[in-house]
Amino acid sequence: MLKIVSILPPAKQHKLRKHLNKHRSLLELDTSSYGIGRQRYWLEHQPILGSCGRSYQSAVQHTQFWGFCRTIYQRASQVALPDQAPLTPDVGLVAYGGVGIREHRDDPYAACPAVSINLSTVPTQWGYTPNYTGYDKLHQKRATETIHRLPPGSIIVFNSQNPHRVISPDLERWSINLWRIAPSCRPYFQSYLDAYPLAVNNAVSFFPQVGEKSYGQNRAQGCANWGSELGISRASARHPQR
């Protein structure tokens, strides 16, 4: 299951890219076997790959920016799972550059619903094989890969346990990827949080009034009309949600 739930207006894409470009120094080489050569950094917490979701360490904490990511994830989850309470992400990954990602399923730490923001300069080709038809690990079937062309600024929700890949992205592509910790791994994650609680840090500010629109696409087509633009107010900056 993969849906484009919304598309960021060009002005908002530009502001996001400006913010990410400002913090390029945070980028490191990817250590995953499927993203060799990609540049990336983690947000909030970094799952230790290969630990099967049992080990974590602290990561980049941009409080206001993470508040924006939380709201994007919450609203996307409401589109994908309208009968459930809105979900919030636990970890995020910012990736940059023209290195494609080989077909893979996300590591065991990742719950099935994942959200990705595609900040490319041209449409991005995404390969996706929907072995699971919903946002869980039920109803497995044989499926063939579909190649999706994701417009610049698209916000997608997908099942992270379905095989997926990124094909020859443009050199200036940024992506922001958001996950919840899977239920089977949450006791380990909670133990880590108890041992290493986050400190509130407002040192890095984020731009105001980042919003997204659906350009007339309707919810029945998998796209949300979220009404007024999503902004990060001064009040939310003073009292960031965790």
Side-chain angles (χ1 to χ4, degrees), residues 219-241:
R219 190 181 184 115
Q221 295 173 317
C223 300
N225 184 350
W226 289 341
S228 61
E229 293 187 351
L230 165 64
I232 299 176
S233 67
R234 292 185 180 178
S236 63
R238 288 195 301 268
H239 304 287
Q241 293 184 339

Side-chain angles (χ1 to χ4, degrees), residues 180-212:
R180 284 180 60 77
I181 298 300
S184 61
C185 299
R186 187 158 290 278
Y188 303 105
F189 183 64
Q190 188 59 52
S191 294
Y192 153 77
L193 291 179
D194 292 342
Y196 303 99
L198 285 178
V200 175
N201 177 11
N202 285 312
V204 180
S205 63
F206 189 53
F207 48 84
Q209 298 304 311
V210 178
E212 66 290 323

Side-chain angles (χ1 to χ4, degrees), residues 139-150:
H139 313 300
Q140 188 172 14
K141 65 174 185 177
R142 290 180 179 271
T144 57
E145 182 183 63
T146 299
I147 305 299
H148 299 266
R149 295 181 79 251
L150 304 182

Side-chain angles (χ1 to χ4, degrees), residues 84-118:
Q84 295 188 21
L87 302 175
T88 56
D90 296 302
V91 300
L93 183 73
V94 173
Y96 171 74
V99 176
I101 308 302
R102 293 187 301 185
E103 184 178 75
H104 67 286
R105 303 173 191 267
D106 289 344
D107 265 32
Y109 71 82
C112 292
V115 173
S116 184
I117 305 172
N118 176 55

Side-chain angles (χ1 to χ4, degrees), residues 51-214:
S51 72
C52 295
R54 297 187 178 195
S55 297
Y56 304 84
Q57 65 186 38
S58 61
V60 174
Q61 296 169 34
H62 290 180
T63 304
Q64 291 176 302
F65 179 59
W66 184 245
F68 162 77
C69 292
R70 282 172 56 94
T71 305
I72 290 289
Y73 190 100
Q74 286 173 340
R75 294 187 175 186
S77 74
Q78 287 181 287
V79 174
L81 302 165
D83 297 329
Q84 295 188 21
L87 302 175
T88 56
D90 296 302
V91 300
L93 183 73
V94 173
Y96 171 74
V99 176
I101 308 302
R102 293 187 301 185
E103 184 178 75
H104 67 286
R105 303 173 191 267
D106 289 344
D107 265 32
Y109 71 82
C112 292
V115 173
S116 184
I117 305 172
N118 176 55
L119 294 169
S120 57
T121 60
V122 296
T124 299
Q125 293 189 82
W126 243 66
Y128 187 74
T129 306
N131 292 329
Y132 298 112
T133 57
Y135 297 103
D136 51 34
K137 297 175 94 172
L138 303 175
H139 313 300
Q140 188 172 14
K141 65 174 185 177
R142 290 180 179 271
T144 57
E145 182 183 63
T146 299
I147 305 299
H148 299 266
R149 295 181 79 251
L150 304 182
S154 54
I155 300 170
I156 66 169
V157 60
F158 65 100
N159 187 328
S160 70
Q161 300 307 308
N162 278 330
H164 53 280
R165 62 185 177 128
V166 179
I167 305 166
S168 301
D170 64 86
L171 294 176
E172 293 299 318
R173 178 180 184 257
W174 289 92
S175 66
I176 304 167
N177 309 284
L178 307 168
W179 297 272
R180 284 180 60 77
I181 298 300
S184 61
C185 299
R186 187 158 290 278
Y188 303 105
F189 183 64
Q190 188 59 52
S191 294
Y192 153 77
L193 291 179
D194 292 342
Y196 303 99
L198 285 178
V200 175
N201 177 11
N202 285 312
V204 180
S205 63
F206 189 53
F207 48 84
Q209 298 304 311
V210 178
E212 66 290 323
K213 298 178 181 178
S214 61

Side-chain angles (χ1 to χ4, degrees), residues 30-61:
D30 200 332
T31 57
S32 67
S33 60
Y34 48 81
I36 297 173
R38 178 174 66 165
Q39 298 182 75
R40 54 90 175 124
Y41 61 86
W42 288 89
L43 297 171
E44 294 291 285
H45 312 284
Q46 177 178 345
I48 304 303
L49 301 182
S51 72
C52 295
R54 297 187 178 195
S55 297
Y56 304 84
Q57 65 186 38
S58 61
V60 174
Q61 296 169 34

